[in-house]
Amino acid sequence: MLNLKFGLRVERGGNCVTCTVVVGAQFGDEGKGRIVDYLAAQANMVVRFQGGNNAGHTVMNQLGTFRLHLVPSGIFYPKVKCVLGAGMVVDPTSLIEEISSLETAGVSTNNLWIDRRAHIVWPYHRLLDGASEAKGELGTTKRGIGPVYGDKASYRGIRMSDLLHSGFLKERLARVLPIKNHEMAYYGLQPFKLEDLLTQAGEWRERLERRIIDSLPIIQQAEARGQRILLEGQLGAMRDLNWGIYPFSTASSPTAGGACEGAGIPPQKITNVIGIVKAYTTAVGGGPFPTELLDKDGRRLQQVGDEYGATTKRPRRCGWLDTVILRYAAALNGFTGIAITKLDVLDSFERAKICTGYTRNGITVNEMPDTVDLGEVKPVYEQWDGWKEPSTTARRWDDLPPNAQAYLRRVESLVNVPIRYISVGPQRENLIAM
Ligand code: GDP
């Protein structure tokens, strides 16, 4: 039963459960970290459910500016339990560095846990990713994510829990390593020695052992107590392994379905699915991007929006907002609301365009085309007058310039999902909650 006043689902027995999924509605980098940081103030738990350190969530708050790669964006609230979920792949070296830099900045990480089922990114995964990227140019981040998920699916993966069982770990590595070294040789890379990897694993164990847990009972306990759980995705719908622009996709599912799977939450427990939508579109790496702008408007979006990757520093490709992609993402995820981010980046534009559909060879395209065909569509645009005044100070809908309101209302009607949040700057307070 829905309690409309509070937007909460009231379960039989009276418990209020809100389990909110936050996912990217485009190609990633929409500003999920910023929205999770805002929503986490009211949460009891934040679980990252997929991916690894191949994307970065930037969070700005009173403690500073942080680029999180693995740690959930709820970490800035000491009472919020933060979990690296079972669906994640964890590079322990990168995680240890991230924990150290957070602690150096005065952020406690005592509330950080890693599900024992998460898979380990080994140094050979990173090297193999880099070597295959050099040949294939799919635009991966070379963090080993594709190779580690590949090993997971072919039963050659090694999990965080294996760090706690040295005999088993040695056996597993001894079995897997000859195959990995064979692949390394294919790319002309030096083989790894078993003893070196075991020494490395020992160092990881020492630093991370106390954080490796079974997260399921904790999540179930939170559900039973009616606590608020946030499920934080990485990347966006267009990079989903099944539904994205394969092979320019990631190796996991950054969708609401993936959230249930990766965090261990049954689908019927999900009460809200918030799609994060940048007010324009950006993409890093290869693949089709129908509204990409290679002109001065594209360069301006890049400069004003500071569109450089948080993990790789790669310049992001920029273009106008594409509502075909947003409708597709809404259908896939079942968005109950959307958050529009970086509206302020459009403040100085004389006009802004919205892509409402595509044509291919002069014929209207109604469904999301396959990867190759998506590269051949032409966007159909509507042009909207800019507002030419700052939106950054707006804290309520009524504070927004009328042309910005008109732009947002049009987006809302094209996507057919209510706007729940509007972000008008990177700081915590630059936000309008509807
Ligand atoms: P994520 O991976 O989806 O969390 O996104 P990123 O962190 O890669 O990219 C979002 C970037 O935009 C970060 O640098 C944020 O600080 C910044 N950002 C988020 N929301 C806003 C906003 O409303 N306005 C501006 N100007 N910057 C924002």
Side-chain angles (χ1 to χ4, degrees), residues 297-308:
D297 280 334
R299 287 191 294 280
R300 198 156 144 213
L301 286 171
Q302 197 177 67
Q303 279 158 16
V304 181
D306 192 21
E307 296 296 352
Y308 299 91

Side-chain angles (χ1 to χ4, degrees), residues 360-429:
R360 186 157 170 258
N361 301 326
I363 297 163
T364 302
V365 177
N366 289 316
E367 306 298 335
M368 177 58 75
D370 198 14
T371 305
V372 175
D373 300 332
L374 187 63
E376 291 169 6
V377 299
K378 284 202 169 39
V380 177
Y381 285 118
E382 282 179 2
Q383 183 162 304
W384 288 75
D385 288 336
W387 39 97
K388 304 277 286 168
E389 55 178 301
S391 61
T392 312
T393 51
R395 295 293 172 270
R396 295 172 310 135
W397 172 260
D398 291 344
D399 299 337
L400 286 170
N403 283 355
Q405 292 180 352
Y407 180 82
L408 294 170
R409 283 291 176 233
R410 183 60 182 147
V411 173
E412 194 172 46
S413 80
L414 284 165
V415 186
N416 200 21
V417 177
I419 294 176
R420 297 281 308 280
Y421 307 96
I422 302 162
S423 174
V424 288
Q427 302 288 345
R428 255 186 199 165
E429 67 275 13

Side-chain angles (χ1 to χ4, degrees), residues 247-281:
F248 305 97
S249 55
T250 196
S252 58
S253 283
T255 48
C260 294
E261 171 60 26
I265 299 216
Q268 74 271 26
K269 298 277 183 189
I270 306 290
T271 42
N272 302 308
V273 182
I274 305 293
I276 312 300
V277 175
K278 200 177 276 189
Y280 47 97
T281 310

Side-chain angles (χ1 to χ4, degrees), residues 50-67:
Q50 44 76 230
N53 59 335
N54 50 330
H57 294 177
T58 310
V59 176
M60 286 185 186
N61 55 35
Q62 75 283 1
L63 298 167
T65 298
F66 299 89
R67 295 194 193 286

Side-chain angles (χ1 to χ4, degrees), residues 29-34 56-58 316 341-342 344 423-426:
D29 306 315
E30 296 94 348
K32 294 173 291 294
R34 180 254 187 289
H57 294 177
T58 310
R316 295 175 183 148
T341 62
K342 300 192 103 165
D344 54 298
S423 174
V424 288

Side-chain angles (χ1 to χ4, degrees), residues 113-316:
W113 309 102
I114 310 160
D115 189 274
R116 59 175 160 82
R117 301 165 183 86
H119 276 242
I120 296 175
V121 181
W122 291 87
Y124 52 74
H125 290 125
R126 273 203 315 272
L127 289 175
L128 288 169
D129 197 4
S132 109
E133 181 58 22
K135 293 200 173 195
E137 291 183 357
L138 291 174
T140 85
T141 53
K142 305 177 194 161
R143 296 294 193 273
I145 307 304
V148 70
Y149 274 116
D151 276 355
K152 176 179 174 176
S154 51
Y155 314 113
R156 291 187 189 127
I158 296 174
R159 305 191 299 168
M160 290 305 289
S161 57
D162 299 342
L163 287 181
L164 310 180
H165 303 102
S166 42
F168 185 71
L169 176 71
K170 187 172 180 185
E171 217 175 277
R172 291 283 297 155
L173 262 180
R175 195 183 298 248
V176 165
L177 198 55
I179 302 165
K180 296 288 106 185
N181 280 340
H182 189 72
E183 279 182 56
M184 299 280 287
Y186 171 80
Y187 290 112
L189 298 167
Q190 290 301 312
F192 278 94
K193 291 198 183 86
L194 178 63
E195 286 315 311
D196 291 346
L197 291 181
L198 289 172
T199 305
Q200 170 73 90
E203 287 163 19
W204 290 339
R205 176 170 53 241
E206 206 170 290
R207 297 291 301 274
L208 299 175
E209 187 170 18
R210 72 179 181 88
R211 300 181 193 270
I212 301 171
I213 56 157
D214 178 2
S215 65
L216 197 58
I218 301 176
I219 292 174
Q220 286 173 335
Q221 202 177 53
E223 285 171 10
R225 289 181 179 159
Q227 295 188 336
R228 292 182 182 183
I229 303 173
L230 274 178
L231 304 182
E232 177 180 12
Q234 171 233 33
L235 292 165
M238 295 303 282
R239 300 287 185 196
D240 183 273
L241 181 59
N242 297 312
W243 299 95
I245 47 171
Y246 190 89
F248 305 97
S249 55
T250 196
S252 58
S253 283
T255 48
C260 294
E261 171 60 26
I265 299 216
Q268 74 271 26
K269 298 277 183 189
I270 306 290
T271 42
N272 302 308
V273 182
I274 305 293
I276 312 300
V277 175
K278 200 177 276 189
Y280 47 97
T281 310
T282 61
V284 184
F289 179 175
T291 61
E292 181 172 16
L293 293 168
L294 300 170
D295 59 6
K296 66 175 176 25
D297 280 334
R299 287 191 294 280
R300 198 156 144 213
L301 286 171
Q302 197 177 67
Q303 279 158 16
V304 181
D306 192 21
E307 296 296 352
Y308 299 91
T311 293
T312 56
K313 311 281 184 279
R314 287 186 288 182
R316 295 175 183 148

